[in-house]
Amino acid sequence: MGRLQDKVAIVTGGASGIGERIVKLFRSEGATVVAADINQAALDKISENDGIHGKKLDVTSEEDWTALLKDVKDEFGSIDILINNAGISSEKTIGEIDYPEWEKMLKINGFGTLIGMKHTLPYMAEAKSGSIVNLSSVTAMVGMGLNTYTSSKGSVRAMSKAAATEYGRFGVRVNAVFPGVIQTPMTEALESSSAALERINAMTPLQRLGKPEEVANAILFLASDEAAYITGAELPIDGGYSAL
Ligand SMILES: NC(=O)c1ccc[n+]([C@@H]2O[C@H](COP(=O)([O-])OP(=O)(O)OC[C@H]3O[C@@H](n4cnc5c(N)ncnc54)[C@H](O)[C@@H]3O)[C@@H](O)[C@H]2O)c1
């Protein structure tokens, strides 16, 4: 019996990096998993796995969310878990930020997470059960450069707590995780710079970057019934970076 046996889970950004690992882990724990992503080619690839259903979603589109959730409910009968993982990053400094840059980052990372919750919560509230995990970032907890990415992940942090307090009475849990630097396509450029790697390792008690499966394992716990009394929690998955 898997830790997510018979659950139906939606993972946004589920076709790459951390999301792909979550999708595969959840499937191995018995869930029916919907990998929802904007990248159709990557979705086609991940859908080759039995029990993993790739569905196109732009997290910034309310129409896409409405259609996806109806589709999932009709096809699989429930929506038990939502992982708001889709995101983009930016290295731009405060001096380089303009409105289009601000809007792009806040739209995908912030608004995308907000409307993911907005459209999913009614299904979960009606079922009196559900678990949402939002991907923030360690950059929302400690000073790591003031840019639009930090702002967008700070909004995810605040929204997660707000949703947890509002929906606890409906039996829905909302938690947030705060990854440090994890080895995925998002951080490829950084990984190829030995100076940057050295700097990050020196500031990380465990002295290495994280792996996508290490983030997926923590999210599995929060998504599962093992975390039944945990909501509004903030879990860093950062090798101790935020503890310094
Ligand atoms: N990798 C890290 O070091 C790190 C650290 C902290 C937080 N995070 C967060 O973890 C999450 C996953 O990051 P990753 O490193 O796996 O990145 P990634 O680039 O490998 O994957 C991101 C996925 O999101 C999808 N996506 C982007 N825009 C989308 C949209 N509008 N609609 C639907 N899907 C969209 C992409 O197609 C891709 O599949 C992100 O929210 C990221 O900010 C990552």
Side-chain angles (χ1 to χ4, degrees):
M1 175 106 166
R3 293 163 71 189
L4 299 180
Q5 203 63 45
D6 302 327
K7 304 265 191 198
V8 178
I10 298 173
V11 182
T12 71
S16 168
I18 295 169
E20 183 182 351
R21 293 303 307 184
I22 298 168
V23 164
K24 290 183 173 163
L25 180 62
F26 280 18
R27 180 59 199 143
S28 74
E29 292 293 344
T32 296
V33 190
V34 174
D37 205 293
I38 203 165
N39 183 338
Q40 186 62 56
L43 279 179
D44 291 344
K45 191 149 183 286
I46 201 161
S47 302
E48 288 166 8
N49 296 279
D50 179 47
I52 296 176
H53 307 269
K55 292 191 189 281
K56 187 91 181 274
L57 170 81
D58 176 351
V59 292
T60 69
S61 161
E62 301 227 30
E63 272 177 20
D64 277 15
W65 273 108
T66 304
L68 174 81
L69 292 162
K70 184 179 180 317
D71 199 18
V72 173
K73 178 79 163 62
D74 289 350
E75 198 173 341
F76 305 118
S78 65
I79 300 159
D80 304 301
I81 295 166
L82 170 67
I83 311 300
N84 275 314
N85 163 80
I88 58 169
S89 68
S90 170
E91 300 290 316
K92 286 193 176 167
T93 62
I94 189 164
E96 296 165 325
I97 294 169
D98 53 18
Y99 186 72
E101 157 74 13
W102 171 268
E103 187 183 73
K104 182 178 169 201
M105 197 64 48
L106 270 288
K107 190 171 180 184
I108 295 175
N109 294 355
F111 187 63
T113 300
L114 174 70
I115 61 171
M117 292 197 287
K118 171 186 165 182
H119 290 282
T120 307
L121 281 164
Y123 286 94
M124 293 181 166
E126 194 189 352
K128 293 261 179 285
S129 157
S131 176
I132 297 177
V133 181
N134 295 327
L135 278 274
S136 182
S137 160
V138 73
T139 60
M141 283 187 153
V142 298
M144 225 183 169
L146 178 55
N147 61 30
T148 48
Y149 183 73
T150 307
S151 309
S152 69
K153 292 300 182 177
S155 83
V156 173
R157 181 182 191 181
M159 283 189 290
S160 302
K161 274 201 188 290
T165 55
E166 199 177 338
Y167 278 84
R169 66 181 183 278
F170 296 107
V172 182
R173 299 183 297 106
V174 184
N175 292 293
V177 295
F178 298 75
V181 183
I182 312 297
Q183 291 173 294
T184 71
M186 188 180 270
T187 55
E188 253 164 23
L190 196 154
E191 279 180 63
S192 58
S193 156
S194 53
L197 269 184
E198 231 174 80
R199 199 180 63 245
I200 290 164
N201 288 343
M203 293 167 76
T204 306
L206 292 181
Q207 299 188 342
R208 64 172 176 83
L209 302 189
K211 300 177 188 138
E213 55 268 34
E214 292 169 330
V215 180
N217 283 334
I219 291 176
L220 167 62
F221 167 68
L222 289 172
S224 78
D225 293 341
E226 293 160 23
Y229 200 52
I230 301 178
T231 193
E234 302 191 328
L235 180 61
I237 310 165
D238 63 356
Y241 192 104
S242 58
L244 284 178

